[in-house]
Amino acid sequence: MTGQRTEATRPAVGVEERPEPPGLPDPLPEPAAADIRLETVLGALSDPLRLRIVRKLLLESEEFDHTCGWFGLDRPKSSLTHHFRALREAGVTRQRQYGLERRSQVRVADLNARFPGLLDLVAAWTPPDGD
């Protein structure tokens, strides 16, 4: 059974990083994949709103990347900026600047390579009622 994946070991996260469309802006500053640290990622994901953001990107992503408005979060822009920056600086998401808007995507390949199973746990997490 060497090298074969069974149903029990197959990742639950079916979202792969989509191929980059041509002409993308460069990503905003982020850690290199080899520099992503588990304690920093877990710190970023310890906030329920950030955990919800990543989960939504994993389970409901419709495009290559998404604007803040796509998430439908009723929070002040300054608060959202803080949360998205925390995810990017931890290495969980990649952000690109398109004119006046920033778009985000989960760094699926990088996180799966560094911490196998972590994104499966995030995808399987069920938000508490009322959040």
Side-chain angles (χ1 to χ4, degrees), residues 80-98:
L80 292 177
T81 298
H82 163 75
H83 288 294
F84 281 97
R85 182 178 55 241
L87 289 168
R88 176 176 46 86
E89 290 177 349
V92 177
T93 60
R94 172 166 290 139
Q95 284 189 304
R96 296 177 192 274
Q97 188 82 33
Y98 294 81

Side-chain angles (χ1 to χ4, degrees), residues 40-60:
T40 307
V41 170
L42 292 177
L45 294 175
S46 69
D47 182 279
L49 179 63
R50 292 194 289 259
L51 187 57
R52 185 180 299 275
I53 288 168
V54 174
R55 183 175 183 269
K56 183 171 175 84
L57 279 170
L58 290 171
L59 298 178
E60 300 175 27

Side-chain angles (χ1 to χ4, degrees), residues 81-122:
T81 298
H82 163 75
H83 288 294
F84 281 97
R85 182 178 55 241
L87 289 168
R88 176 176 46 86
E89 290 177 349
V92 177
T93 60
R94 172 166 290 139
Q95 284 189 304
R96 296 177 192 274
Q97 188 82 33
Y98 294 81
L100 297 176
E101 68 183 17
R102 289 185 177 178
R103 295 182 180 189
S104 300
Q105 67 183 108
V106 176
R107 293 176 63 179
V108 174
D110 292 340
L111 292 170
N112 280 341
R114 293 281 293 151
F115 315 113
L118 177 64
L119 293 180
D120 295 334
L121 293 172
V122 172

